[in-house]
Amino acid sequence: MDMTIADLKRFNEFLDSTLDPRDLDEAFITSRQVELEDISKNSDGKYLPLIALSYAKLLELTVLLAGRCSDNGQLVDFGDLVVNPRHMDVCILNTGLIKEDFGITDNIPLWFKRQVRERAGDQYSEDLGRMVVDPVLLSHFVENGLLLRTVKKDRHRRLSDQFRYCISDEPRFAFSTYGERVTPVVHDAVKVLGCGCGRAECPDVASWLADSTVLNIVKGALKTDLMDVLRELLSTDYLKSIDKKFEKACNSLHYVSMGRKNYSNFPYGEVNISEWDEINSTLCYFNLDGYGVIQSELDESLSNPCYRSPFLDISLYNASMPQDAIQTRMARNFM
């Protein structure tokens, strides 16, 4: 049996056997995503449909979990799944060197991002003003002293809280809460700058962050990552159905957050019959049906090499697509 086929079968069998809808969480889906990424990177292009369907199963689980979080009013968990990056670095710039050697005094973070964009080329992108670039590509700027270091952002803490205490790479006066000037403290910023490591409080953390740092998304939200992988691989109709489910989950979360009915106070006590239609039509009540449908498509694809799943983009089955084009698509989506 082909190694990739065997790996995919083992992956899906393990996924099915360890899946417990009652204990489903982001960590479980993320772990399976990492395993599937490892298989994908070493796969031949002809297995792209099977890999795409395997990823679609993880997407269905993400939809299921998002619906459950929204129905239960779990705002933080929902945000982590759909919006909040799983790993974001704060890149601390050597503003002193940049000013002295390059004469840049205005909007240093924007200047730095332009340098990264020029060096990274098509591997550079931005999300709401934040860089999305492989951290390895930043090593050049560390070696040249433009970038002092990167600090992983605590996912659930505000930046101003995490960097409340910081030390500049240049001598500067620190100010207390009341604004009195105190003796300046000078340290090696590369060693001490970061969460809780400083000896003096910055006078304005927000301003320091805006003037001296750049945010880089290393790992996006689970939903964003999976959709980025599958955007060009799934059929238009299936993508629309997934988008509608996430939209319903957002609507459900809004409904629950407004103080309406949710699972946590079920059976809701005294509820008028007229309210049940609104409750049942607004909450998600998602289940594993979508997951089961994709598994059926995967089973059919494994047993019948000629089968073409309607859930996948037809171009994946284009016999005239050159092998190098398939490999390029796989590299773009899975690496």
Side-chain angles (χ1 to χ4, degrees):
M1 180 183 296
D2 188 284
M3 185 58 70
T4 300
I5 294 292
D7 289 340
L8 284 173
K9 283 188 173 182
R10 280 194 294 269
F11 167 81
N12 282 282
E13 288 172 357
F14 181 77
L15 173 61
D16 295 341
S17 64
T18 55
L19 172 61
D20 185 346
R22 297 168 298 181
D23 295 328
L24 182 64
D25 58 16
E26 181 191 30
F28 175 83
I29 304 175
T30 296
S31 295
R32 304 293 81 77
Q33 178 194 17
V34 172
E35 294 165 2
L36 188 52
E37 284 176 348
D38 289 339
I39 297 174
S40 304
K41 291 175 181 178
N42 300 311
S43 298
D44 190 273
K46 64 183 178 182
Y47 301 117
L48 188 52
L50 300 176
I51 294 172
L53 288 171
S54 298
Y55 269 100
K57 290 175 64 177
L58 299 183
L59 182 60
E60 287 286 351
L61 291 181
T62 305
V63 169
L64 171 63
L65 185 55
R68 180 176 300 169
C69 290
S70 61
D71 287 349
N72 285 282
Q74 297 170 313
L75 181 61
V76 173
D77 292 336
F78 181 85
D80 283 348
L81 273 179
V82 178
V83 180
N84 194 13
R86 286 171 284 177
H87 180 178
M88 185 161 62
D89 283 342
V90 178
C91 303
I92 302 171
L93 309 179
N94 191 343
T95 55
L97 178 67
I98 293 173
K99 290 176 182 178
E100 294 173 7
D101 289 8
F102 296 89
I104 306 299
T105 58
D106 189 35
N107 208 329
I108 292 177
L110 179 59
W111 175 85
F112 179 78
K113 287 195 289 186
R114 287 172 178 164
Q115 310 310 305
V116 178
R117 185 186 301 115
E118 291 176 3
R119 186 168 185 84
D122 59 4
Q123 298 183 69
Y124 177 93
S125 61
E126 287 195 31
D127 179 17
L128 301 178
R130 299 172 295 194
M131 296 194 306
V132 184
V133 62
D134 189 333
V136 174
L137 298 176
L138 298 178
S139 60
H140 163 80
F141 299 96
V142 175
E143 293 169 358
N144 286 275
L146 299 182
L147 179 60
L148 291 177
R149 67 176 293 189
T150 61
V151 179
K152 183 178 180 180
K153 179 188 178 298
D154 190 318
R155 194 178 191 190
H156 295 131
R157 291 179 67 192
R158 296 171 57 187
L159 279 168
S160 56
D161 290 337
Q162 182 173 348
F163 292 90
R164 186 175 303 281
Y165 296 95
C166 54
I167 298 296
S168 171
D169 58 317
E170 300 173 331
R172 67 184 297 173
F173 286 103
F175 293 82
S176 70
T177 304
Y178 302 100
E180 297 95 356
R181 178 175 293 186
V182 297
T183 304
V185 181
V186 183
H187 293 283
D188 182 358
V190 176
K191 294 181 179 179
V192 302
L193 185 53
C195 178
C197 297
R199 306 287 181 83
E201 186 174 357
C202 291
D204 185 345
V205 180
S207 295
W208 175 80
L209 288 166
D211 295 339
S212 307
T213 68
V214 171
L215 298 180
N216 182 43
I217 299 177
V218 180
K219 196 70 173 176
L222 181 59
K223 181 245 184 181
T224 303
D225 264 9
L226 292 175
M227 290 298 285
D228 285 347
V229 167
L230 292 168
R231 185 68 67 182
E232 297 180 3
L233 306 180
L234 300 178
S235 68
T236 301
D237 289 342
Y238 182 53
L239 281 172
K240 287 181 179 178
S241 71
I242 292 294
D243 287 338
K244 286 182 178 178
K245 287 182 179 179
F246 277 116
E247 182 180 357
K248 185 172 182 62
C250 288
N251 292 336
S252 172
L253 183 65
H254 176 72
Y255 179 82
V256 172
S257 298
M258 292 294 290
R260 307 290 179 82
K261 310 300 185 297
N262 59 72
Y263 288 145
S264 62
N265 59 11
F266 182 86
Y268 312 135
E270 297 295 328
V271 176
N272 295 326
I273 295 178
S274 59
E275 290 186 63
W276 280 105
D277 284 342
E278 180 185 27
I279 294 171
N280 290 328
S281 63
T282 306
L283 298 186
C284 296
Y285 298 113
F286 291 158
N287 53 41
L288 284 172
D289 287 353
Y291 179 89
V293 170
I294 298 299
Q295 178 59 51
S296 298
E297 290 295 306
L298 184 58
D299 290 339
E300 182 68 22
S301 298
L302 286 168
S303 61
N304 180 7
C306 296
Y307 180 71
R308 298 189 173 194
S309 173
F311 290 85
L312 299 182
D313 188 278
I314 191 64
S315 66
L316 299 187
Y317 300 103
N318 188 349
S320 62
M321 182 183 291
Q323 185 65 24
D324 58 349
I326 296 176
Q327 292 288 3
T328 298
R329 176 177 288 196
M330 290 185 69
R332 181 171 64 247
N333 290 311
F334 296 129
M335 299 187 72

